[in-house]
Amino acid sequence: MNLLRVHCPVKTTHPHNSQRGIFLAAFVLMMIFYVWTCVSDGLTWKFGREQKDHYNLLVHGFMDGQLSLKVEVSQALLDCPDPYDPAKRPPGSGLHDASFYHGKYYIYYGVVPAVVLLLPFRLLSGTDLPLAVAVLAFLSGAYAIFLLIVADCRRRFFNACGDWTSFAIALVAGILTWAPVLLRRHSMYELPISSAQFFAMLAIYALYRVLVTGARPLPWTLLGSLCWGLAIGSRPTYLLAPACLGLIVWFVPRATPGESFLKARLPLLLAALGPASLVGLGLAVYNQLRFGSPTEFGVSYILSGVYESKIRHFSLGYFSWNLGAYLTAPGEWSRYFPFYHDLAIAGPRPGQHYGMDISFGLLRHLPFLWLAGLVPLVFAFRSSHAEERKLRLFIASIAWVGVSVACFLLCFYAAMLRYIGDFGPWFGFIAVFGALAFADGFARKGRRLAGSLPVLVCAGITILLGGLFPIQVYGRISQFNPGLYSRLEALGNRPVYWWESLADGGGKGALLLSLKFPAARDGGCVEELVASGRSADRNRVLVVYPDSSHIQLAFERAGGSRIASAPLALDRSALHTLRLSMGPLYFPKNRPEFSGLSKAERQVLFRWLAVELDGRPIIDRYQRFDDSTAGPCTIGGAGGGSAFSGRILSSVREEPGVTLARVRETAKTVVMRSCVPDADGLLHLQLRFPPGEPGRREPLVVSGETGSGDFLFVEYLAPRRLRFCFEHWGRNPYLGTEIDFVPGREYLMEIRYPAPVFDPETGAISDSRDLGIRLDGHVIWETDVSSYPAEPDDFFLGRNPIGGSTCAEAFSGDIRLHGQESGQP
């Protein structure tokens, strides 16, 4: 099998300018995608304004001559006897994921990006550099270096590889750097990863110039050593990677007659060790000054959701679970936008292991990486010429970097999606060489199509899936730029509309069931009757048996509270009919057959839960569904203890025209009540507080939906004392000033509510505002908060229908919009 030997029966030369054009075009296209990914969440970069992220706060500290972040530490945290225990730390008192030591905040992330980019930018411009721009700069530089190496290798070793194949490889390289995922969130976590990737890629380029191109070894070795030091200063995961510089020290020098082996290599040895050692020494001094130990980066003092000093951060016991998580973690691709949904990883986790934040198995979803398995062909079947040996040495160095970094992370106690940005690009590098070798080998045998087609298919699938995944990961577009998300949804679902219209007319009405309930069930049993969505616990209709003689029908959405009907005494031997209408049954909501519905009618169709039993309404109310995960219905449960134990004799879908006719009738009588802030972002309320039950939290205003909502609630500290709190979904609540109140007395409250209002009809979104509260004309609380945009119908007064918060389901006093009659709205 000499397929890949250097043999050239076909024309293989390409004009150098043509090669440059191929890779330049790929770079420009990918940069457009990078920038779009970075800005498409709709959050402005706020150039010229003070940035409040951890890194810029560190730069502010440097400017003031301190090593800690320039941020005020709350007195509650200073007074806490054990602030590192999340159970004892006062809610909202600590800076999340900062290291707290001797009354000051520090970062445990690498300091290098602050020193080499953010601080110089601040000194030169007098303003802060937004993290999004910094992450974009580092990742763009890393991708450019990646392409420089690949383009030169293609010219030197794989020049029979076709132009289209080379173009596809150059494009897929932009996905394999993991930049699209890192740019989607571009926060304090992604900055050190992108910085480390850039400096590591520059160090590899220096190695390439010496090993492959024969450039002067001393200056390039110095540069490589410095860059490896900066990569480690960004991410300690690269600690073992600089060992690849040993290839330069061992293979490059040639001793002159009479010169000893060591003497010939001593200058390069010093060049390889010197700059990296100086950076390491600087890090040690930095740690000593901060934490009193040269090896302490602040991990033991992190304020997070776990007690960090009591967690085993590294263990070989994590290795196999992490390996499976990164390579084969499951995910679900559907025909509906946003196409990808992560799934829970089956099997038990090792003790103390955090798990994986978003599952995405690289080998499962990015088939181009399979081509890394072809790299041994480069070693086995290509020429033994000296130039080829240089290529093999360089590929071996790439493999060492990838393996050394991956092993570090595989022993870590958490598998995070962003960590793929540390090791993924290096295995992508290997796959690129495998693809080049495969396509080039077949082309040299006159079988260009046979070599190019598999590479093009793998590259095309990887570009498609790897490009779609970052669009929806972390939910940033749907949360912060819902207008764009709606347009992407309409565009992405259009091919499905056409296909379904041809296949079955595309229309589906309400669900109709004929069923018999079980003769007897113990009180307290809960059975699943209908589940809609990508997993059985998203939007579920349940049968609840409160006691042996009654039945309740209930609805439950993951993360939200259960909504149940009144107990029903039913004839268990009789045949019953059930009609179910809920939004996920009709997803996607912008199908052609729904185009003629009015706004009120669309609200009833997609945000109304109607359950009828034997023609009698059992549940009939507004309900927010998780549209993006809608899918096929599961009838009767998936089996096991939660499956419906009665008999389902038939299940059919109502004619779409009948369903829409009922929707139109309902829309005439239904009034969607909401408490949307006015044009000035204000809510004017009248309310009476109940006698305070210490520790109880009750909602005043709730906005958004499950997973991306905000809560303004009141916390009772004593029967006549309270404070207002604000919670941004999943974050520790912001705590307001404590005040005294009189139970039963009517108060006039003016709230400047911070959530922007999104109009789904026009796509317009109001300006975000800070939170402010006035009570009887007195300013009670003003603060900066984070908030999610919400549609007008997703503002709730005195109710918490979206769950996920520590506050109760309803306000127990009296609350209403100013001028309304007394009572809950």
Coordinates of all heavy atoms in Angstrom, one line a residue, residues 684-721:
H684 N -46.8 51.6 38.4 CA -47.4 52.3 39.5 C -48.4 51.4 40.2 O -49.4 50.9 39.6 CB -48.1 53.6 39.0 CG -47.3 54.5 38.2 ND1 -46.5 55.5 38.8 CD2 -47.0 54.6 36.9 CE1 -45.8 56.1 37.9 NE2 -46.1 55.6 36.7
L685 N -48.1 51.0 41.4 CA -48.8 50.0 42.2 C -49.4 50.6 43.4 O -48.9 51.5 44.0 CB -47.9 48.8 42.5 CG -47.0 48.2 41.4 CD1 -46.2 47.1 42.0 CD2 -47.9 47.7 40.3
Q686 N -50.5 49.9 43.8 CA -51.1 50.1 45.2 C -51.0 48.7 45.9 O -51.4 47.7 45.3 CB -52.5 50.6 45.1 CG -52.7 51.9 44.5 CD -54.1 52.3 44.3 OE1 -54.6 52.4 43.2 NE2 -54.9 52.4 45.4
L687 N -50.5 48.6 47.1 CA -50.4 47.3 47.7 C -50.5 47.5 49.2 O -50.2 48.5 49.8 CB -49.1 46.6 47.3 CG -47.8 47.1 47.9 CD1 -46.7 46.1 47.7 CD2 -47.3 48.4 47.4
R688 N -50.9 46.4 49.8 CA -51.0 46.2 51.3 C -50.2 45.0 51.6 O -50.4 43.9 51.1 CB -52.4 46.1 51.8 CG -53.2 47.3 51.7 CD -54.6 47.1 52.3 NE -55.4 48.3 52.3 CZ -56.2 48.7 51.4 NH1 -56.3 48.0 50.3 NH2 -56.9 49.8 51.5
F689 N -49.2 45.1 52.5 CA -48.4 44.0 52.9 C -49.1 43.2 54.0 O -49.7 43.8 54.9 CB -47.0 44.4 53.5 CG -46.1 45.1 52.4 CD1 -46.0 46.5 52.5 CD2 -45.5 44.4 51.5 CE1 -45.2 47.1 51.5 CE2 -44.7 45.0 50.5 CZ -44.5 46.4 50.6
P690 N -49.0 41.9 54.0 CA -49.5 41.1 55.1 C -48.6 41.2 56.3 O -47.5 41.6 56.2 CB -49.6 39.7 54.5 CG -48.4 39.7 53.6 CD -48.3 41.1 53.0
P691 N -49.0 40.7 57.5 CA -48.0 40.6 58.6 C -46.9 39.6 58.2 O -47.1 38.6 57.6 CB -48.9 39.9 59.7 CG -50.3 40.2 59.4 CD -50.4 40.3 57.9
G692 N -45.7 40.1 58.4 CA -44.5 39.4 57.9 C -44.2 38.1 58.6 O -44.2 38.1 59.9
E693 N -44.1 37.0 57.9 CA -43.6 35.8 58.4 C -42.1 35.7 58.2 O -41.7 35.6 57.0 CB -44.3 34.6 57.7 CG -43.8 33.2 58.2 CD -44.5 32.1 57.4 OE1 -45.5 32.3 56.9 OE2 -43.9 31.0 57.4
P694 N -41.3 35.8 59.2 CA -39.8 35.9 59.0 C -39.3 34.8 58.1 O -39.6 33.6 58.3 CB -39.2 35.8 60.4 CG -40.3 36.3 61.3 CD -41.6 35.9 60.6
G695 N -38.5 35.2 57.1 CA -37.9 34.3 56.1 C -38.7 34.1 54.9 O -38.2 33.5 53.9
R696 N -40.0 34.5 54.9 CA -40.9 34.2 53.7 C -40.6 35.3 52.6 O -40.4 36.5 52.9 CB -42.3 34.3 54.1 CG -43.3 34.0 52.9 CD -44.7 33.9 53.4 NE -45.6 33.8 52.3 CZ -45.9 32.6 51.6 NH1 -45.2 31.5 51.9 NH2 -46.7 32.6 50.6
R697 N -40.5 34.8 51.4 CA -40.3 35.7 50.2 C -41.5 35.6 49.3 O -41.9 34.4 48.9 CB -39.0 35.2 49.5 CG -37.7 35.4 50.3 CD -36.5 34.9 49.6 NE -35.3 35.3 50.2 CZ -34.1 35.1 49.7 NH1 -33.9 34.4 48.6 NH2 -33.0 35.5 50.3
E698 N -42.0 36.7 48.9 CA -43.2 36.7 48.0 C -43.0 37.6 46.8 O -42.4 38.7 46.9 CB -44.4 37.2 48.8 CG -44.8 36.3 50.0 CD -46.0 36.8 50.7 OE1 -46.4 38.0 50.6 OE2 -46.6 36.0 51.5
P699 N -43.5 37.2 45.7 CA -43.3 38.0 44.4 C -44.1 39.2 44.3 O -45.3 39.3 44.7 CB -43.7 37.0 43.3 CG -44.7 36.1 44.0 CD -44.3 36.0 45.4
L700 N -43.5 40.3 43.9 CA -44.2 41.5 43.5 C -44.3 41.6 42.0 O -45.4 41.8 41.5 CB -43.4 42.7 44.1 CG -43.3 42.8 45.6 CD1 -42.4 44.1 45.9 CD2 -44.6 42.9 46.2
V701 N -43.2 41.5 41.3 CA -43.3 41.6 39.8 C -42.3 40.5 39.3 O -41.2 40.4 39.8 CB -42.8 42.9 39.2 CG1 -42.9 42.9 37.7 CG2 -43.7 44.0 39.8
V702 N -42.8 39.6 38.4 CA -42.0 38.6 37.8 C -42.1 38.8 36.3 O -43.2 39.1 35.7 CB -42.5 37.2 38.2 CG1 -41.8 36.1 37.4 CG2 -42.3 37.0 39.7
S703 N -41.0 38.6 35.6 CA -41.0 38.8 34.1 C -40.2 37.7 33.5 O -39.3 37.0 34.1 CB -40.4 40.1 33.7 OG -39.0 40.2 34.2
G704 N -40.5 37.4 32.2 CA -39.7 36.4 31.4 C -40.3 35.1 31.5 O -41.5 34.9 31.7
E705 N -39.5 34.1 31.3 CA -40.0 32.7 31.3 C -39.0 31.8 32.0 O -37.9 32.2 32.4 CB -40.1 32.2 29.8 CG -38.8 32.3 29.0 CD -39.0 31.6 27.7 OE1 -39.5 30.5 27.6 OE2 -38.6 32.3 26.7
T706 N -39.4 30.5 32.2 CA -38.6 29.6 32.9 C -37.2 29.5 32.2 O -37.1 29.3 31.0 CB -39.2 28.2 32.9 OG1 -40.5 28.3 33.4 CG2 -38.4 27.2 33.7
G707 N -36.2 29.7 33.0 CA -34.8 29.6 32.5 C -34.2 31.0 32.1 O -33.0 31.1 32.1
S708 N -35.1 32.0 31.9 CA -34.6 33.3 31.6 C -35.6 34.3 32.1 O -36.2 35.1 31.3 CB -34.4 33.5 30.0 OG -35.5 33.2 29.3
G709 N -35.7 34.4 33.4 CA -36.7 35.3 34.0 C -36.0 36.1 35.1 O -34.9 35.9 35.5
D710 N -36.8 37.1 35.6 CA -36.3 38.0 36.7 C -37.4 38.1 37.7 O -38.6 38.0 37.4 CB -35.9 39.4 36.1 CG -34.8 39.3 35.1 OD1 -33.7 38.9 35.5 OD2 -35.0 39.7 34.0
F711 N -37.0 38.3 38.9 CA -38.0 38.4 40.1 C -37.7 39.5 41.0 O -36.6 39.7 41.5 CB -37.9 37.1 40.9 CG -37.9 35.8 40.1 CD1 -36.7 35.3 39.5 CD2 -39.0 35.1 39.9 CE1 -36.7 34.2 38.7 CE2 -39.1 33.9 39.2 CZ -37.9 33.5 38.6
L712 N -38.7 40.4 41.1 CA -38.6 41.4 42.2 C -39.5 40.9 43.3 O -40.8 40.7 43.1 CB -39.1 42.8 41.7 CG -39.2 43.9 42.7 CD1 -37.8 44.2 43.3 CD2 -39.9 45.1 42.1
F713 N -39.0 40.6 44.4 CA -39.8 40.1 45.5 C -39.5 40.7 46.8 O -38.5 41.5 47.0 CB -39.6 38.5 45.6 CG -38.2 38.1 45.9 CD1 -37.7 37.9 47.2 CD2 -37.3 37.9 44.8 CE1 -36.4 37.5 47.4 CE2 -36.0 37.4 45.1 CZ -35.5 37.3 46.4
V714 N -40.3 40.5 47.8 CA -40.2 41.1 49.1 C -39.8 39.9 50.1 O -40.4 38.8 50.0 CB -41.5 41.8 49.6 CG1 -42.6 40.8 49.6 CG2 -41.3 42.4 50.9
E715 N -38.8 40.2 51.0 CA -38.4 39.2 52.0 C -38.8 39.8 53.4 O -38.3 40.9 53.7 CB -36.9 38.9 51.9 CG -36.5 38.0 53.0 CD -35.0 37.7 52.9 OE1 -34.2 38.5 52.3 OE2 -34.5 36.7 53.4
Y716 N -39.6 39.1 54.1 CA -40.0 39.5 55.5 C -38.9 39.1 56.5 O -38.5 37.9 56.6 CB -41.3 38.9 55.8 CG -42.4 39.3 54.9 CD1 -42.9 38.5 53.9 CD2 -43.0 40.6 54.9 CE1 -43.9 38.9 53.0 CE2 -44.0 41.0 54.1 CZ -44.4 40.1 53.1 OH -45.4 40.5 52.3
L717 N -38.4 40.1 57.2 CA -37.3 39.8 58.2 C -37.9 39.7 59.6 O -37.3 39.1 60.5 CB -36.3 40.9 58.1 CG -35.7 41.2 56.7 CD1 -34.8 42.4 56.8 CD2 -34.9 40.0 56.2
A718 N -39.1 40.3 59.8 CA -39.8 40.3 61.1 C -41.2 40.7 60.8 O -41.6 41.1 59.6 CB -39.2 41.3 62.0
P719 N -42.1 40.5 61.7 CA -43.6 40.9 61.4 C -43.8 42.2 60.9 O -44.7 42.5 60.1 CB -44.2 40.7 62.8 CG -43.4 39.7 63.5 CD -42.0 40.0 63.1
R720 N -42.9 43.2 61.2 CA -43.1 44.6 60.6 C -41.8 45.1 60.0 O -41.6 46.3 59.9 CB -43.5 45.5 61.8 CG -44.9 45.3 62.3 CD -45.2 46.1 63.5 NE -46.6 46.0 63.9 CZ -47.6 46.8 63.5 NH1 -47.3 47.8 62.7 NH2 -48.9 46.6 63.9
R721 N -41.0 44.2 59.5 CA -39.8 44.6 58.8 C -39.5 43.8 57.6 O -39.7 42.6 57.6 CB -38.6 44.5 59.8 CG -37.3 45.2 59.3 CD -36.3 45.4 60.4 NE -35.1 46.1 59.9 CZ -34.9 47.4 59.7 NH1 -36.0 48.2 60.0 NH2 -33.8 47.9 59.3

